Amino acid sequence: MPVIEESVFIARPPQEVFEFLIKSENIPVWDSSVVQAEQVGDGPVGVGTRTKGSSKVLGRHFDWVSENTHFDPPNKTVIRSVEGKFDFTITDTLESEGDGTRLTHRIDAGTGLGGVFGKLADPFVQKAHTRTVRANLETLADLLAEHHDGG
């Protein structure tokens, strides 16, 4: 089971980072592998909230629906895929660090990335996607820092 885990320091308090992360429409803004994402239904985000979206990883498109399985603002959120050909769980853990937040973003790919690319590709895909995740987290940190500076 491939696991990608990266962390980044964000110069914003945990509550602000958490509120940004849980909005489905914000995902494509900072995650370059997500083409589109939207919350299913209305109401506040919490356990059971679903998001449907579309991702592109190394040239392959796939649609997915995820559901919040753990929701502990502003400390932790866990979503897992409930529909689609790619099983995944994403855990975001937020910790206060100095005057900001340490975000740890972990992706557990249930069936391995081989479901999309073939099993022999797993190590290559995992390494390539780890670089993407790292860049995405840097984008998120920059975005939230700029957002604060600009307003």
Side-chain angles (χ1 to χ4, degrees):
M1 171 190 295
V3 173
I4 296 171
E5 183 171 302
E6 293 287 328
S7 73
V8 67
F9 175 79
I10 301 174
R12 307 296 314 126
Q15 187 65 40
E16 286 184 32
V17 176
F18 190 87
E19 287 172 6
F20 185 86
L21 282 175
I22 64 169
K23 292 184 179 144
S24 300
E25 65 270 17
N26 289 341
I27 301 168
V29 172
W30 66 272
D31 186 335
S32 65
S33 66
V34 177
V35 178
Q36 178 268 335
E38 63 181 275
Q39 183 175 322
V40 177
D42 295 328
V45 177
V47 170
T49 300
R50 288 187 170 201
T51 298
K52 69 177 180 177
S54 178
S55 292
K56 185 177 183 181
V57 176
L58 297 177
R60 301 278 175 99
H61 267 94
F62 56 94
D63 295 327
W64 47 266
V65 175
S66 65
E67 182 176 299
N68 284 41
T69 59
H70 183 94
F71 193 77
D72 177 23
N75 306 307
K76 187 174 186 178
T77 180
V78 180
I79 64 165
R80 67 176 177 82
S81 60
V82 292
E83 290 178 29
K85 61 182 172 185
F86 187 62
D87 292 332
F88 62 87
T89 300
I90 297 174
T91 305
D92 285 317
T93 306
L94 296 82
E95 299 169 289
S96 288
E97 184 177 294
D99 60 351
T101 303
R102 170 65 53 185
L103 168 65
T104 302
H105 184 77
R106 177 183 168 117
I107 303 171
D108 291 272
T111 54
L113 301 166
V116 179
F117 296 95
K119 231 168 188 25
L120 292 175
D122 274 1
F124 167 76
V125 174
Q126 184 175 359
K127 186 175 182 182
H129 199 61
T130 297
R131 285 193 300 268
T132 301
V133 169
R134 174 89 238 141
N136 289 343
L137 292 179
E138 296 294 342
T139 297
L140 177 63
D142 291 347
L143 187 70
L144 289 175
E146 286 172 17
H147 177 68
H148 177 66
D149 293 343

